[in-house]
Amino acid sequence: MTAKLVQGYEVVIGFETHAQLSTKSKIFSRASVAFGAEPNTQACAVDMALPGTLPVMNVGAVERAIEFGLAVNSHIAERSIFARKNYFYPDLPKGYQISQFEIPVVQGGEVSFFLEEGKETVRKTVRLERAHLEEDAGKSLHEDFVGQSGIDLNRAGTPLLEIVTQPDMRSSAEAVAYAKELHKIVTWVGICDGNMQEGSFRCDANVSVRKPGGALGTRREIKNLNSFKFMQQAIDYEVRWQIEQIEDGHAIQQATVLFDPDTGETRAMRTKEDAADYRYFPDPDLPPLVIGRDWVERVRSEMAELPRVMAERFVKDYVLPDYDATQLTQSKAVAAYFEAVAQACGQAKLASNWIMGEVSRRLNASEMTIEQTPVSAAQLAALIGRISDNTISNNAARQVFEALWTEGGDVDALIEAKGLKQIQDTSELEKIIDDVLAANPKNVEEFKAGNAKALNGLVGPIMKASKGKANPGQVNALLMQKLT
Ligand code: ADP
Ligand code: MG
């Protein structure tokens, strides 16, 4: 594959994503993690770091990390270690964050997805370096806290899985596609609610540029991208900025930057700390996390079918192209809708075309999800049945679909009411064709003289005379019969 270059530079991106794990209580305490409570009403003595308190591992958080690892083909460490990451910040009352450093619980793995490149659809795989468990910090409230800055410790101790990739992405489009796929995986498996506005799924993009074939460039890390749209904008801006700096003869400084959606620019927040600055060391308050293989196997056996496994099954059972299978496994709800339609009408490829085409176009236009579709699987199946038995043309089917969407109703009744039935009777169609041939002798002559295009000048008027109710395939066949 030829490398994609921006102004002669290759873009290199690696992601760190914080997925908030969907447990009820915190990672090392029993306080609730529900979103939106009054400040400091969900912070217990452990979260406030009162002296004498000790952390206790939440087994539910570990189990979710195992589920994630299994979903992306990682190794689940038999033994992993919690470490203290030391830094001073007002929202971190212990003075350190409990995280994992040298031995993370989830090691390796990969995320693969499809990507549109020009007219082609290519499969791309991003390797994961690791995923580790850690606690979130609290929040500083600068805006509206009785006229002064305050600290809200509700978020302190919220369980996070930090998912780190290798620097495998080569464009903002690839980065967004990776993030969407990762989002799909964590929500599908159910370990994270994926709510980006509320911060349950936060992405940091590490971005650098280099001349093709050269060593990796110095990276800047764009923090807390909380929408796919901003992600793309931020990376594109950052790439242009870095190239401009280098072209102007300035070296890139490693830094942490923030994206400002109002200006569309990234802005340096602080120079980046190195691991050494955090003075990591194993947390003496927590024993090593030991995960027996029986636990892993139990978790594996209780997990629902994964999207990629389901996609493979769709390819095999429904004879669908890879691309369709991947699109249809975007969410459990889409997959269930597809299976219901395909099984009811027995036409899997048509079902897939309709769901990826008309249905998703309509859903997108009204910002709805498949759960909200007004056209039930049974209705769509009935509609597809009427296309495949030649009762209606594709065009007519789109009209029926539109009616189903806006008014609902019965497919056959709508076809009847709108007079959309294709002409089944050959003699009726032949009569129309004979009339059109008689009215267009010039086209007939040209066709007979070898100009194949002259046929178009005949098909159009025939379809028109039939009020769109002629079957185009049948029209063509009859025309050929009569003209050759
Ligand atoms: P840190 O310890 O500073 O977080 P890591 O080595 O863990 O750094 O890397 C963090 C992320 O940055 C990973 O996703 C990695 O793939 C990515 N990364 C590392 N080097 C580069 C680079 N030169 N350009 C882009 N991304 C990079
Ligand atoms: Mg890191």
Side-chain angles (χ1 to χ4, degrees):
M1 196 180 75
T2 51
K4 303 172 283 277
L5 300 182
V6 184
Q7 295 168 249
Y9 287 85
E10 187 181 25
V11 175
V12 176
I13 305 167
F15 259 58
E16 293 164 285
T17 302
H18 288 93
Q20 179 178 326
L21 298 174
S22 54
T23 54
K24 285 201 175 60
S25 58
K26 294 191 174 170
I27 185 165
F28 301 119
S29 84
R30 287 186 175 175
S32 163
V33 293
F35 182 84
E38 284 293 299
N40 298 311
T41 55
Q42 292 184 164
C44 70
V46 174
D47 310 322
M48 290 186 286
L50 294 189
T53 56
L54 287 170
V56 177
M57 185 76 231
N58 178 338
V59 173
V62 178
E63 196 143 318
R64 283 164 178 79
I66 298 174
E67 286 181 275
F68 175 75
L70 292 176
V72 294
N73 278 336
S74 307
H75 173 65
I76 312 296
E78 289 84 356
R79 183 176 169 281
S80 63
I81 302 281
F82 287 96
R84 291 186 179 181
K85 181 179 182 179
N86 298 279
Y87 65 97
F88 174 77
Y89 205 73
D91 63 19
L92 188 73
K94 287 200 298 293
Y96 59 85
Q97 176 193 25
I98 304 178
S99 181
Q100 297 193 299
F101 183 57
E102 274 167 334
I103 312 177
V105 57
V106 172
Q107 304 174 355
E110 60 185 38
V111 170
S112 66
F113 46 87
F114 282 101
L115 197 65
E116 311 278 339
E117 269 176 9
K119 285 201 174 76
E120 270 181 281
T121 305
V122 295
R123 191 178 197 100
K124 171 85 196 174
T125 298
V126 170
R127 292 166 301 159
L128 296 183
E129 188 182 308
R130 59 190 281 161
H132 60 256
L133 285 163
E134 63 182 25
E135 59 178 345
D136 208 346
K139 253 185 204 161
S140 296
L141 304 177
H142 297 303
E143 282 94 39
D144 190 21
F145 195 68
V146 287
Q148 47 188 325
S149 287
I151 304 291
D152 175 9
L153 290 177
N154 283 352
R155 206 179 61 181
T158 296
L160 301 178
L161 189 67
E162 179 174 339
I163 303 154
V164 184
T165 75
Q166 305 273 359
D168 279 355
M169 289 156 274
R170 292 292 174 271
S171 68
S172 59
E174 256 178 54
V176 171
Y178 160 78
K180 285 186 173 167
E181 185 65 24
L182 185 66
H183 187 269
K184 171 174 112 184
I185 293 169
V186 297
T187 51
W188 183 293
V189 176
I191 60 164
C192 169
D193 68 20
N195 190 324
M196 295 176 83
Q197 281 81 47
E198 290 178 5
S200 302
F201 186 86
R202 318 193 282 266
C203 292
D204 305 340
N206 292 269
V207 180
S208 67
V209 299
R210 66 173 171 187
K211 286 289 182 184
L216 282 182
T218 303
R219 71 187 197 264
R220 303 213 310 164
E221 179 177 4
I222 315 170
K223 276 275 180 209
N224 281 343
L225 293 164
N226 64 357
S227 89
F228 296 120
K229 188 172 135 216
F230 294 159
M231 194 176 286
Q232 177 113 31
Q233 290 175 359
I235 296 171
D236 286 339
Y237 175 85
E238 180 63 27
V239 166
R240 283 198 306 274
W241 185 88
Q242 288 188 16
I243 292 173
E244 206 176 285
Q245 292 294 306
I246 295 169
E247 290 287 310
D248 286 350
H250 305 299
I252 302 295
Q253 302 290 328
Q254 189 166 323
T256 302
V257 307
L258 277 181
F259 176 66
D260 181 348
D262 294 331
T263 61
E265 297 178 359
T266 53
R267 177 161 46 73
M269 191 163 80
R270 51 179 148 92
T271 56
K272 167 101 181 142
E273 292 86 354
D274 280 326
D277 298 325
Y278 289 122
R279 303 171 334 275
Y280 281 100
F281 64 90
D283 192 319
D285 290 342
L286 285 158
L289 176 60
V290 175
I291 300 175
R293 296 303 92 178
D294 48 340
W295 190 6
V296 174
E297 289 319 309
R298 203 201 75 222
V299 172
R300 195 196 302 276
S301 71
E302 286 167 3
M303 278 171 74
E305 188 178 27
L306 291 167
R308 66 185 151 76
V309 177
M310 189 182 274
E312 280 161 25
R313 178 166 64 79
F314 283 9
V315 169
K316 227 171 83 223
D317 292 0
Y318 298 108
V319 201
L320 290 182
D322 275 342
Y323 178 78
D324 292 47
T326 307
Q327 292 298 311
L328 293 168
T329 48
Q330 282 313 309
S331 77
K332 279 186 183 154
V334 171
Y337 185 78
F338 162 74
E339 289 212 89
V341 177
Q343 282 165 15
C345 72
Q347 301 278 341
K349 183 57 179 140
L350 277 181
S352 167
N353 292 349
W354 274 83
I355 293 168
M356 297 195 313
E358 216 66 3
V359 176
S360 72
R361 187 185 59 76
R362 257 317 210 139
L363 289 174
N364 288 341
S366 32
E367 293 188 9
M368 284 156 66
T369 63
I370 194 82
E371 286 95 332
Q372 300 162 299
T373 176
V375 179
S376 71
Q379 284 173 314
L380 183 56
L383 181 61
I384 291 171
R386 289 294 169 256
I387 303 167
S388 51
D389 71 8
N390 278 326
T391 306
I392 52 173
S393 66
N394 271 316
N395 241 330
R398 276 193 285 275
Q399 293 178 50
V400 177
F401 180 80
E402 197 56 30
L404 287 173
W405 189 282
T406 48
E407 305 145 35
D410 174 74
V411 168
D412 287 331
L414 283 167
I415 292 171
E416 200 62 48
K418 292 181 181 292
L420 291 171
K421 257 196 190 144
Q422 293 193 119
I423 300 170
Q424 303 280 357
D425 182 352
T426 321
S427 62
E428 192 183 334
L429 191 53
E430 276 192 87
K431 180 162 184 321
I432 295 175
I433 293 176
D434 288 338
D435 289 349
V436 170
L437 291 184
N440 296 276
K442 212 166 137 252
N443 285 69
V444 174
E445 246 171 68
E446 281 177 19
F447 179 79
K448 286 187 169 160
N451 178 6
K453 279 190 188 146
L455 206 62
N456 296 341
L458 297 167
V459 175
I462 294 169
M463 292 306 292
K464 196 163 168 216
S466 77
K467 301 198 179 67
K469 288 192 259 176
N471 177 321
Q474 203 182 0
V475 168
N476 261 314
L478 285 172
L479 262 179
M480 294 311 273
Q481 254 176 42
K482 288 180 188 289
L483 293 176
T484 55

